[in-house]
């Protein structure tokens, strides 16, 4: 049975469908492996939070702010699709361990290792015995057959993340090809990519899908 979210702005519809998927995920918690559940819930919540922020910005026509958030949606969605493609439990666990790896690196900068810090670091190192370095984001795009999206959208969105000199601020009220392409990426492409991530979860755990009428 499908739930229809139509005649609403893209981001409003996305908030509704993600919230509904979060509810269904919680209902199926007992039937989903712990690491997979944790990563899926984390990803859904991240998508929801980012889209809520974009909805606020889009009301103010702040496209540049939305662009910076759009890349996060693409990355979050591809990570989830990559995890669900195969070896899901192993990949979910490894994704969680990546955070532990980042924490363990902080011990390298400590001037003094206290007994408490050593104990914690030893605990981290024990957990990391099962960790393997994560693929970079380009490799993950390729793994889910979305390298074209990386080239067309992710790489372009990244230009707005890292500080770079521009002689003139982009005027998003203009109808130039580049501006129109970036606005379409913000308003539509990010929604479609997020829906593709929701789809893999729906298929694996037999959730009700959602139909969102995406403009453009």
């Amino acid at each position: 049975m499908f739930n229809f979210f139509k005649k609403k702005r893209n981001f409003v519809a996305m908030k509704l469908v993600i919230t509904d998927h979060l509810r269904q995920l919680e209902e199926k918690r007992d039937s989903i492996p712990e690491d997979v559940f944790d990563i899926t819930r984390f990803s859904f919540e991240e998508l929801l939070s980012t889209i809520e922020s974009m909805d606020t910005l889009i009301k103010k026509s702040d496209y540049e702010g939305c662009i910076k958030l759009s890349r996060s949606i693409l990355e979050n969605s591809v990570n989830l699709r990559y995890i669900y493609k195969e070896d899901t439990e192993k990949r979910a666990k490894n994704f969680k361990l990546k955070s532990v790896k980042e924490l363990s690196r902080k011990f390298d900068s400590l001037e003094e290792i206290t007994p408490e810090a050593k104990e914690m670091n030893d605990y981290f190192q024990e957990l990391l015995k099962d960790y393997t370095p994560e693929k970079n984001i380009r490799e993950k795009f390729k793994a889910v057959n979305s390298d074209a999206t990386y080239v067309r959208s992710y790489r372009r969105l990244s230009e707005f993340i890292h500080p770079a000199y521009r002689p003139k601020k982009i005027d998003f009220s203009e109808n130039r090809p580049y501006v129109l392409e970036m606005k379409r990426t913000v308003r539509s492409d990010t929604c479609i990519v997020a829906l593709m991530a929701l789809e893999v979860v729906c298929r694996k755990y037999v959730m009700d899908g959602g139909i969102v009428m995406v403009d453009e």
Side-chain angles (χ1 to χ4, degrees), residues 142-155:
K142 288 181 178 180
V144 297
N145 300 317
S146 292
D147 194 51
T149 302
Y150 176 90
V151 173
R152 190 192 72 216
S153 299
Y154 185 85
R155 195 159 58 185

Side-chain angles (χ1 to χ4, degrees), residues 18-178:
I18 295 172
T19 299
D20 185 59
H21 281 65
L22 266 170
R23 175 188 59 78
Q24 293 183 65
L25 184 71
E26 290 287 353
E27 291 174 352
K28 292 179 176 287
R29 181 171 192 158
D30 292 341
S31 62
I32 302 175
E34 181 179 359
D35 291 330
V36 178
F37 175 84
D38 289 344
I39 290 302
T40 307
R41 180 176 62 182
F42 165 80
S43 299
F44 282 7
E45 289 175 345
E46 285 293 298
L47 287 172
L48 180 60
S49 175
T50 306
I51 286 174
E52 285 176 336
S53 297
M54 289 179 68
D55 189 41
T56 299
L57 291 172
I58 207 75
K59 292 174 183 175
K60 300 180 179 180
S61 297
D62 185 354
Y63 281 96
E64 187 162 346
C66 285
I67 286 171
K68 294 173 182 178
L69 294 175
S70 292
R71 196 188 80 151
S72 176
I73 291 178
L74 262 64
E75 188 164 344
N76 198 346
S77 300
V78 166
N79 276 326
L80 193 59
R81 289 172 62 198
Y82 173 77
I83 289 169
Y84 270 78
K85 184 177 181 182
E86 58 189 49
D87 299 325
T88 303
E89 291 183 48
K90 180 179 178 181
R91 289 181 175 183
K93 180 179 181 180
N94 204 65
F95 192 79
K96 288 175 71 174
L97 287 176
K98 182 182 179 182
S99 298
V100 178
K101 180 68 175 179
E102 294 302 319
L103 285 172
S104 72
R105 288 176 179 168
K106 295 181 180 180
F107 287 92
D108 297 336
S109 62
L110 293 178
E111 296 181 358
E112 179 183 359
I113 303 294
T114 64
E116 292 82 4
K118 183 180 184 306
E119 182 180 359
M120 181 174 291
N121 192 35
D122 289 344
Y123 172 68
F124 286 162
Q125 297 310 313
E126 183 65 26
L127 291 176
L128 291 170
K129 287 180 179 179
D130 296 326
Y131 176 73
T132 57
E134 283 276 300
K135 290 183 179 294
N136 63 43
I137 193 64
R138 177 72 181 273
E139 292 172 325
K140 290 181 178 180
F141 269 95
K142 288 181 178 180
V144 297
N145 300 317
S146 292
D147 194 51
T149 302
Y150 176 90
V151 173
R152 190 192 72 216
S153 299
Y154 185 85
R155 195 159 58 185
R156 184 173 288 176
L157 293 171
S158 297
E159 296 172 3
F160 289 82
I161 298 296
H162 308 294
Y165 171 74
R166 292 187 179 89
K168 182 181 178 182
K169 190 175 179 67
I170 296 174
D171 185 353
F172 283 94
S173 67
E174 297 179 349
N175 288 325
R176 295 184 291 112
Y178 178 79

Side-chain angles (χ1 to χ4, degrees), residues 165-203:
Y165 171 74
R166 292 187 179 89
K168 182 181 178 182
K169 190 175 179 67
I170 296 174
D171 185 353
F172 283 94
S173 67
E174 297 179 349
N175 288 325
R176 295 184 291 112
Y178 178 79
V179 170
L180 293 174
E181 173 71 10
M182 296 307 295
K183 290 168 79 170
R184 183 182 62 81
T185 297
V186 165
R187 291 193 299 249
S188 301
D189 287 5
T190 49
C191 294
I192 292 169
V193 170
L195 289 169
M196 291 170 70
L198 295 180
E199 179 190 16
V200 298
V201 181
C202 284
R203 288 183 180 276

